[in-house]
Amino acid sequence: MKKIDIMATIKDGIAIALVNFLSLILTTILYVLTIWIPYLNVGTTIAMCSLTAEMAKGGAINPFFIFKSEYRKNMGEFFILMSLMMGAMSVGFMFMFIPGFVISIAFGFAAVLFVDKDMSALEALRESNRITFGNKWRIFFSKFALCICLFIAVAIIDAIFGIGEVQWLESIGTIINVLIILFFIPALYGVEASIYKQLTASDDAKDAPVAE
């Protein structure tokens, strides 16, 4: 089982986020604008679950991919998957929180695998649990470290542009911090994509055709 390199994952995740920053913003806007449309909103929600896999493929995503009809073909199975996930996590959280937290990481890529690998609900849950085994704390700390980096960046900008309490400098600092905070969600998606890419790399290599 390949072990995730936390710092390398964060760097790769930020690089993926930079490539997809504008695309993610437009994708989110399209999703929010159409979330009220019955039936279509199920497909777009399933598509949003596949963002991690789409970003892991490299290059910028096409925001309009969320409207593909293929995402609506297995909505019943998707509801089963979500019900099983939520049920397992709810029971886990009843046992003093930690088991539920561990289960949430173990099943964290189930929805992605369901769409990306065309798995059934149970297959996706099993596979997510398998690929995250031995890497759960690394997955957690990759995301936690990203949050710390964001906090430090905001604190540094506040310290630099807050010197002397010059109004126009503080305004510039505020704008920069807003941009940093806006970048956080894409960066989080980027880290997820990097982790997913690493965890499924060996399986993709096995599935690749062998040249004769």
Side-chain angles (χ1 to χ4, degrees), residues 120-140:
S120 68
L122 288 176
E123 286 173 339
L125 290 170
R126 292 194 190 101
E127 182 64 6
S128 180
N129 184 57
R130 184 188 72 81
I131 64 175
T132 57
F133 183 77
N135 272 306
K136 290 185 181 66
W137 76 267
R138 290 179 176 84
I139 293 172
F140 168 74

Side-chain angles (χ1 to χ4, degrees), residues 10-96:
I10 293 174
K11 290 179 182 178
D12 186 40
I14 290 174
I16 293 172
L18 286 171
V19 172
N20 287 281
F21 181 66
L22 293 177
S23 297
L24 277 173
I25 291 177
L26 183 53
T27 300
T28 302
I29 291 173
L30 289 173
Y31 177 67
V32 171
L33 289 176
T34 58
I35 190 64
W36 58 273
I37 303 176
Y39 186 63
L40 179 66
N41 55 11
V42 178
T44 55
T45 298
I46 295 174
M48 291 296 287
C49 290
S50 74
L51 265 177
T52 298
E54 292 297 319
M55 292 172 65
K57 294 174 183 176
I61 60 173
N62 180 352
F64 294 96
F65 87 97
I66 63 173
F67 299 118
K68 290 182 179 179
S69 60
E70 63 189 68
Y71 293 112
R72 297 189 292 272
K73 68 178 181 179
N74 292 324
M75 64 171 62
E77 188 85 5
F78 178 75
F79 290 146
I80 293 173
L81 172 62
M82 290 295 105
S83 298
L84 291 173
M85 284 179 61
M86 294 301 106
M89 285 188 286
S90 297
V91 173
F93 282 121
M94 290 171 60
F95 287 84
M96 303 302 289

Side-chain angles (χ1 to χ4, degrees), residues 18 21 38 50 64 79 99 104-106 114 121 123 142-143 145-146 155-156 166 168 183 194 201 203:
L18 286 171
F21 181 66
S50 74
F64 294 96
F79 290 146
S104 68
I105 297 176
F114 172 80
E123 286 173 339
S142 293
K143 298 175 183 179
L146 179 67
I156 290 173
V166 180
W168 66 271
F183 183 68
S194 180
D203 294 327

